[in-house]
Amino acid sequence: MKKYLRFTLLSLLISVSIFGQKPKKLTTNQIYEKIQKLNFLGTALYIAAHPDDENTRLIAYLANNVKARTGYLSLTRGDGGQNLIGPEIRELLGVIRTQELLAARRVDGGEQLFTRANDFGYSKHPDETLEIWNKEKVLSDVVWAIRTFKPDVIINRFNHRTPGTTHGHHTTSAMLSVEAFDLAGDNSKFKDQLKYTSSWQSKRLFYNTSWWFYGSKEKFEKATKGNPGFMSFDIGVYYPLKGLSNNELASIASSQHLCQGFGRLTTRGSQNEYVEFLKGDKPKDKKDLFAGINTTWNRVKGGGEIGDILYEIEQNFDFVNPSKHIPKLMEAYGLIKDLEDNHWRTIKEAQIKDIIQACAGLYLEASALSSSGVPNTKIDVNFELLNRSDVNIQLTSLKSHIDKKEIFKGITLAQNKKQTFKEVFSLSTTTFSAPYWLKNKWELGMYTVDKQQLIGKPETPKETKIDFNLIINYLPITITKNIVRRYAERDKGEIYEPFEVLPKVTTKIKNKVLIFSDSISKKVSVEVRAGANFVNGEVKLEVPENWTVTPEKQLFGIEQKNDKQTVDFLVTPPKNQSEGKLKVIATIDGKNYQKELVEINYNHIPKQSVLLNSEAKVVRLNIKKAGNYIGYIKGAGDVVPENLRQIGYTVVDVNPLEINAENLQKFDAIVVGIRAYNVVKELKFKQKFLLSYVENGGNLIVQYNTNRRVDVGAPYELQLSRDRVTDEFAEVRILEENHSVLNFPNKITQNDFNGWVQERGLYFPDKWSKEYTPILSMNDKGETAKNGSLLIAKYGKGNYIYTGLSFFRELPAGVSGAYKLFANLLSVGKEQIEVKQEIKK
């Protein structure tokens, strides 16, 4: 058992590692579990707002214990959060969190759905949320999810009756779910959807509650005692076939949310889960969410005959030789293909194909020589086929989805005799491989998706597929595979990557914001990357009005695919303050290319290729600085150091392990990155050196940290809270107009808080000692004033500054006032030094 448990855990870890693209290779235990799921015709849909909101314990329980088809509808892709593992924020963070959700679902057995809602950041009330989201569109997407997924049971993560008590997105997800529960079954609502699906009335709606939502176990017990609407069941069940409990499985699943710091220990043992019945047909059995719902094959017309075959296979499954079941499985497959019910036919056909393939030990692979190709070119694809059973299997033909080419083969796949060959296909498609929700210009609160059938899908469906047309046990069956790239690296082993269709050329300006602090010209370098061999053309920059660029264009010539060439331009700003977009246009044979390729490659998710507009924001501002040499202690992935370099600072990354009194004294100021005290364990041992640096005359700026189990080691009492101002337009009131931080070297006024993005700030202190001076006051609508966004305290000869202002968002967005204020923070205490220097002169 110990050996088996180690094997199971290893399998789970591999499935969510760099080998996420590897084909599924099921053990007989896993095949048996898939047969159990094949024989359960019931569906559950879990609904919440963000990646990590889902209760993986309940999803795992429904998918693995109940055997229900279980989905998680996350209204957003988590675009508005923070990133603990890298610099990606906003839409790129949404791509990462999408893949982390898919990784979690591969572990807990669920499926993943979305709406077009864009996570714009924290919201305190549903009213605020729906001022930014388009309610009608998000509601229609929830209805679409219900109509297409067709759940019998819907479960909300949050309470629709308590607006204002939690994140506005959370409550909104529940409110929209309650409304959509009825609308999905009404043919007069969202009628355009009915061209592609049918209306659907789910049987019942629940709220997944717990004592946590009530504040204490005592309050929860009081509220639920004797309430007939509450149900509970033990989700801590053990799965002998997996060697894992449901809790362990759920912990591994939730640990896939690494960019949110959700890596955690596995848990095990009995644990109750609670739901409250809200709408529909109340189940009589309080331990069974599907009580009274027909979940057998008799649910569908013609299903009885299929059930007779498949239930017998489940009851007498051969774990040693599963291929013996292939004749009956193929018989059932033929009957499933004839089902009138299109919904269940599609689902069960896909499930049984996986089972047949696994029972035969059938390996089918289409591997390109490269991980990408460009439209209107040819690609070489290596094929590998292997039948590891004694079942009669023949490959009759191959058909490409990309050029519709069909190749007749007539190959018999003899037992354990590998067949390999190469074919050439034309990439006739003009559609690039990129997240579909990022292809059109999007708004603050909504992504734009024109094609109804794409809405809700976690990823862009691959066009680069190959149909393997087979004869198995004398019956035809088609198994479809994505083209991949399979290769090996000596330090990683075998790697599978998705095959992507990309432009012939992409371009990139490294810095997404270019700050001109005076009227002096700057060199702007453009990186040109070839998507094919022998790419030649020209590049030019399109600049805003009153800006100039020389030369007008630059030629490039690149011989090898994926090679890069850098060309330089000289950009000159106007004399007065100005801002706009700098756009890159590459031209080959009269065709313009204006995309940047962003590759996201982390070990726990498959490699992602994202195409964004190749551009940068240019800002001409009048800014002054005092001091130049800045030490930066990185936290949880921000690009503030690069932003500071943009305005002329020399910024040095400080290794926390190397912090000591001698290393710190050379800096004019030291900046601690966002959430550094949350994620950099060494800081608690190095804080004495940082405070000593301040005491001896240094300037220390500490950016925001979350308030959970963290000590920022401030020199005086400082208590972090969850206070935040989410309205980026909220009035900013100046408390200390004469303080040097608002006057030197730049004059800061209320106008400098115009144009901020997403929020004012977060996790402000709500309690501090008299040594601190609060500088600013702000608050969201209907709330009390929050004065803890920027606190400054004199400590010894230096200054300790704590700020929850969201500089990590504002500086990358090129907000002029944020740059001026940050320059002043770095300059605190240097006003007197400059005065003395002037006197000496």
Side-chain angles (χ1 to χ4, degrees):
M1 177 57 74
K2 287 183 180 179
K3 182 179 179 182
Y4 177 76
L5 178 57
R6 286 195 298 270
F7 172 78
T8 304
L9 287 168
L10 178 62
S11 300
L12 282 167
L13 291 171
I14 287 176
S15 72
V16 294
S17 70
I18 58 174
F19 310 120
Q21 290 295 310
K22 272 196 171 184
K24 292 178 289 187
K25 299 173 184 177
L26 304 180
T27 66
T28 52
N29 285 358
Q30 293 168 321
I31 296 171
Y32 177 71
E33 289 178 311
K34 281 189 173 290
I35 292 171
Q36 290 179 307
K37 292 197 75 168
L38 181 66
N39 285 335
F40 189 92
L41 279 70
T43 307
L45 181 62
Y46 199 87
I47 299 180
H50 309 108
D52 85 0
D53 284 345
E54 79 273 27
N55 182 344
T56 53
R57 297 184 306 275
L58 186 49
I59 291 174
Y61 177 83
L62 291 169
N64 295 278
N65 189 70
V66 179
K67 307 300 180 185
R69 182 186 183 218
T70 307
Y72 172 44
L73 173 60
S74 176
L75 266 58
T76 76
R77 297 176 186 267
D79 329 73
Q82 288 85 50
N83 184 359
L84 286 178
I85 62 174
E88 297 88 357
I89 58 173
R90 292 303 309 154
E91 64 277 356
L92 295 179
L93 178 59
V95 173
I96 293 174
R97 291 190 172 181
T98 294
Q99 291 301 318
E100 289 183 340
L101 276 171
L102 289 170
R105 299 295 81 78
R106 285 193 289 271
V107 173
D108 62 32
E111 299 178 38
Q112 189 60 51
L113 300 86
F114 293 97
T115 75
R116 289 170 289 177
N118 188 337
D119 177 8
F120 56 84
Y122 194 84
S123 166
K124 295 179 178 177
H125 197 280
D127 291 346
E128 179 188 354
T129 300
L130 294 174
E131 285 178 2
I132 298 176
W133 287 354
N134 183 313
K135 180 188 176 182
E136 191 70 5
K137 289 182 179 179
V138 183
L139 178 60
S140 76
D141 290 357
V142 179
V143 169
W144 171 255
I146 294 171
R147 285 176 171 174
T148 53
F149 202 70
K150 301 190 184 306
D152 302 298
V153 174
I154 298 176
I155 306 167
N156 293 341
R157 181 55 172 149
F158 299 104
N159 192 344
H160 66 288
R161 299 158 297 195
T162 56
T165 60
T166 183
H167 197 321
H169 296 181
H170 292 170
T171 311
T172 301
S173 71
M175 292 167 62
L176 294 178
S177 174
V178 170
E179 193 171 348
F181 180 83
D182 296 318
L183 294 178
D186 187 342
N187 283 333
S188 68
K189 306 299 182 183
F190 303 110
K191 291 188 287 187
D192 286 348
Q193 296 180 2
L194 300 179
K195 300 174 187 175
Y196 312 103
T197 189
S198 58
S199 59
W200 179 257
Q201 184 56 62
S202 299
K203 299 295 191 297
R204 51 192 65 141
L205 175 67
F206 297 95
Y207 158 47
N208 179 202
T209 186
S210 74
W211 69 264
W212 189 83
F213 290 110
Y214 286 80
S216 69
K217 293 181 179 180
E218 292 75 21
K219 291 180 180 178
F220 177 68
E221 290 174 2
K222 183 178 179 181
T224 58
K225 188 175 182 180
N227 189 323
F230 279 87
M231 298 172 58
S232 68
F233 36 90
D234 185 358
I235 52 86
V237 295
Y238 177 67
Y239 303 124
L241 292 175
K242 297 180 185 295
L244 295 168
S245 68
N246 188 76
N247 316 52
E248 290 172 298
L249 198 66
S251 297
I252 297 169
S254 62
S255 287
Q256 303 316 304
H257 296 296
L258 294 185
C259 74
Q260 302 188 69
F262 264 54
R264 59 185 58 186
L265 289 171
T266 57
T267 59
R268 54 203 61 79
S270 178
Q271 183 175 359
N272 278 343
E273 197 65 56
Y274 302 90
V275 297
E276 179 187 358
F277 174 78
L278 298 177
K279 273 188 174 187
D281 173 28
K282 184 185 293 185
K284 293 181 180 178
D285 184 349
K286 286 199 170 188
K287 300 292 182 183
D288 183 4
L289 296 178
F290 285 89
I293 299 172
N294 185 357
T295 58
T296 71
W297 274 104
N298 288 322
R299 177 174 187 161
V300 296
K301 183 180 178 181
E305 188 177 357
I306 299 169
D308 289 342
I309 298 170
L310 295 178
Y311 292 137
E312 193 277 333
I313 293 175
E314 179 182 345
Q315 187 174 356
N316 298 291
F317 184 71
D318 191 330
F319 286 84
V320 176
N321 180 27
S323 65
K324 66 178 280 188
H325 300 295
I326 288 179
K328 285 295 185 180
L329 286 169
M330 287 300 299
E331 182 183 348
Y333 167 74
L335 295 172
I336 289 172
K337 283 183 65 68
D338 291 335
L339 285 175
E340 293 180 16
D341 189 314
N342 180 65
H343 174 71
W344 283 114
R345 182 177 70 246
T346 302
I347 294 168
K348 295 304 175 182
E349 185 178 339
Q351 289 179 346
I352 199 169
K353 279 183 179 181
D354 283 347
I355 293 168
I356 291 168
Q357 188 178 341
C359 284
L362 182 59
Y363 184 84
L364 306 172
E365 178 185 284
S367 176
L369 299 183
S370 171
S371 61
S372 67
V374 302
N376 303 313
T377 59
K378 296 185 182 296
I379 59 169
D380 294 328
V381 179
N382 290 321
F383 287 85
E384 180 180 332
L385 298 86
L386 180 62
N387 169 22
R388 288 169 284 199
S389 72
D390 59 2
V391 175
N392 188 312
I393 300 178
Q394 293 178 318
L395 173 69
T396 58
S397 66
L398 301 169
K399 186 172 182 180
S400 162
H401 286 220
I402 50 180
D403 61 1
K404 312 305 178 188
K405 179 179 180 181
E406 187 163 9
I407 303 170
F408 293 94
K409 285 297 182 180
I411 297 174
T412 297
L413 302 181
Q415 185 175 7
N416 215 31
K417 300 294 183 182
K418 183 170 68 174
Q419 295 281 349
T420 60
F421 50 86
K422 182 169 73 174
E423 300 292 346
V424 179
F425 299 98
S426 297
L427 281 177
S428 56
T429 179
T430 57
T431 303
F432 296 128
S433 303
Y436 68 87
W437 62 95
L438 299 180
K439 289 188 176 182
N440 297 320
K441 186 177 180 180
W442 57 89
E443 304 169 358
L444 174 63
M446 297 295 299
Y447 285 113
T448 301
V449 181
D450 297 328
K451 192 174 181 181
Q452 180 67 47
Q453 297 97 311
L454 284 177
I455 293 173
K457 292 185 180 298
E459 300 178 285
T460 306
K462 292 287 185 184
E463 292 187 7
T464 50
K465 294 176 179 286
I466 299 292
D467 287 340
F468 292 79
N469 297 315
L470 305 163
I471 299 291
I472 298 181
N473 204 50
Y474 311 106
L475 293 172
I477 185 171
T478 297
I479 296 175
T480 303
K481 296 289 183 179
N482 291 329
I483 296 176
V484 297
R485 182 198 176 200
R486 180 169 67 95
Y487 66 103
E489 290 187 359
R490 296 180 67 179
D491 59 340
K492 293 181 181 178
E494 186 177 61
I495 298 173
Y496 283 76
E497 287 184 350
F499 180 82
E500 311 284 16
V501 181
L502 300 173
K504 183 175 286 188
V505 65
T506 54
T507 58
K508 176 183 179 181
I509 300 176
K510 179 182 178 182
N511 297 314
K512 298 310 170 195
V513 176
L514 298 167
I515 305 295
F516 292 75
S517 56
D518 49 39
S519 57
I520 298 175
S521 303
K522 277 189 179 183
K523 183 177 76 171
V524 174
S525 298
V526 177
E527 180 185 275
V528 183
R529 174 174 174 164
N533 293 331
F534 305 108
V535 174
N536 300 280
E538 63 182 39
V539 180
K540 66 179 182 179
L541 292 182
E542 188 177 282
V543 296
E545 187 178 0
N546 297 324
W547 293 66
T548 59
V549 59
T550 56
E552 181 182 345
K553 61 184 179 182
Q554 291 276 34
L555 300 180
F556 66 87
I558 306 175
E559 292 187 0
Q560 290 188 330
K561 178 180 179 178
N562 293 328
D563 200 2
K564 301 170 185 177
Q565 180 179 333
T566 299
V567 296
D568 297 326
F569 296 89
L570 199 64
V571 174
T572 306
K575 292 183 178 180
N576 298 320
Q577 194 154 312
S578 171
E579 63 181 58
K581 288 285 181 68
L582 192 68
K583 298 181 180 180
V584 186
I585 303 172
T587 304
I588 301 175
D589 298 329
K591 184 175 180 180
N592 291 338
Y593 295 85
Q594 296 178 260
K595 294 294 183 181
E596 173 189 349
L597 173 63
V598 180
E599 293 183 324
I600 301 173
N601 204 358
Y602 291 100
N603 286 346
H604 66 301
I605 59 174
K607 179 181 176 183
Q608 299 296 298
S609 297
V610 184
L611 294 172
L612 301 175
N613 291 334
S614 184
E615 60 187 25
K617 183 176 181 179
V618 287
V619 180
R620 165 72 173 96
L621 58 85
N622 294 310
I623 189 169
K624 299 175 183 177
K625 314 191 287 9
N628 177 63
Y629 201 58
I630 309 301
Y632 201 96
I633 302 170
K634 286 187 176 180
D638 66 70
V639 292
V640 169
E642 187 56 47
N643 299 139
L644 297 180
R645 293 183 185 109
Q646 284 282 322
I647 55 175
Y649 286 104
T650 299
V651 184
V652 177
D653 290 337
V654 177
N655 183 344
L657 293 174
E658 298 174 358
I659 291 175
N660 57 48
E662 182 179 352
N663 288 345
L664 297 181
Q665 64 182 3
K666 58 190 175 185
F667 295 112
D668 295 319
I670 294 173
V671 182
V672 181
I674 61 171
R675 298 173 74 167
Y677 290 93
N678 295 120
V679 299
V680 182
K681 298 176 182 177
E682 294 82 7
L683 275 183
K684 64 181 178 181
F685 305 112
K686 301 294 185 176
Q687 188 66 14
K688 59 185 178 182
F689 297 115
L690 292 172
L691 292 182
S692 177
Y693 165 80
V694 177
E695 194 171 16
N696 291 324
N699 193 7
L700 178 65
I701 297 132
V702 179
Q703 297 179 85
Y704 98 93
N705 288 263
T706 62
N707 68 329
R708 294 185 64 187
R709 297 185 295 275
V710 67
D711 179 7
V712 298
Y716 310 111
E717 181 186 5
L718 184 72
Q719 177 179 287
L720 303 186
S721 73
R722 296 182 65 85
D723 285 352
R724 61 203 303 161
V725 176
T726 61
D727 181 2
E728 64 267 40
F729 304 106
E731 179 190 5
V732 176
R733 298 173 294 278
I734 294 174
L735 299 176
E736 293 290 333
E737 188 173 348
N738 296 322
H739 197 286
S740 65
V741 77
L742 300 178
N743 294 279
F744 177 80
N746 305 285
K747 178 66 177 177
I748 302 297
T749 70
Q750 286 182 325
N751 290 335
D752 289 304
F753 294 94
N754 295 337
W756 284 50
V757 298
Q758 187 160 323
E759 61 197 350
R760 291 295 190 196
L762 61 171
Y763 291 100
F764 299 160
D766 63 352
K767 185 179 180 182
W768 53 87
S769 66
K770 60 182 177 57
E771 286 83 3
Y772 294 95
T773 300
I775 305 298
L776 305 171
S777 178
M778 59 192 74
N779 56 271
D780 282 321
K781 183 179 177 181
E783 293 192 354
T784 58
K786 304 294 184 289
N787 297 343
S789 65
L790 178 56
L791 302 173
I792 302 178
K794 193 74 178 173
Y795 182 64
K797 298 177 182 178
N799 297 277
Y800 179 90
I801 302 171
Y802 189 92
T803 178
L805 293 171
S806 59
F807 288 108
F808 73 102
R809 296 195 191 280
E810 312 314 320
L811 299 187
V815 178
S816 301
Y819 274 93
K820 290 170 62 179
L821 180 55
F822 208 96
N824 283 16
L825 294 179
L826 294 170
S827 305
V828 168
K830 294 179 174 58
E831 184 176 16
Q832 293 178 346
I833 296 173
E834 285 209 353
V835 171
K836 290 178 181 178
Q837 289 175 343
E838 287 297 322
I839 292 173
K840 286 182 180 180
K841 289 180 183 179

